[in-house]
Amino acid sequence: DATRSGLNDAIWMPNFFLPTMSSVLAQADDSTFFGDIDLGEMFLNFFLDPRLRPYAGVDLTLENNSEGSKRNIKRWERSLMGVRSSPFNCVRIYLLSEDIIK
C-alpha cells in the first residue's frame, strides 16, 4: 500500500477533479450515450515516472539474513495503487493513446 510509504508527501500532483453529475448532464442531450471505464484495473498497464522508480519498491530480504548477505530489493516500475499521481498519469496516457489510435 503506497499510501504508507511517505512517497505521496514528496511528490507534486496537479489538481485532478472528477466531473460531478451536474457537469456531465449539462453536456448531455437525448442522443448522448454513456460508458464506464474503470482505470483502477488499468494501473499496471502504465509505467511509473522514471524519477519515482528508485523510490518505489519492496525489500524482500529475510529477517534472518546473515551478515554479509546481499539485500534483496526489487524496484516497482508500474503505476501503483495509493500513489496520488497514479490516477492523473493513467488518465493522461490513456487519453493520449486514445487520440493516437483515432
Side-chain angles (χ1 to χ4, degrees), residues 30-92:
D30 60 351
S31 64
T32 302
F33 289 93
F34 292 97
D36 179 32
I37 300 172
D38 185 0
L39 293 176
E41 295 177 2
M42 297 191 330
F43 274 15
L44 295 177
N45 293 323
F46 301 103
F47 283 101
L48 192 61
D49 187 297
R51 295 169 291 181
L52 291 178
R53 293 178 195 169
Y55 305 103
V58 63
D59 186 353
L60 299 174
T61 308
L62 297 174
E63 285 187 33
N64 59 1
N65 186 23
S66 62
E67 294 288 327
S69 296
K70 292 177 106 178
R71 296 192 68 180
N72 188 9
I73 298 175
K74 301 297 181 190
R75 192 169 76 173
W76 193 260
E77 297 192 357
R78 302 289 180 142
S79 289
L80 59 156
M81 300 301 284
V83 173
R84 74 171 61 157
S85 63
S86 289
F88 174 78
N89 288 332
C90 290
V91 170
R92 183 175 56 98

Side-chain angles (χ1 to χ4, degrees), residues 16-32:
F16 182 67
F17 298 104
L18 295 174
T20 64
M21 183 61 81
S22 298
S23 65
V24 171
L25 290 177
Q27 303 297 319
D29 61 20
D30 60 351
S31 64
T32 302

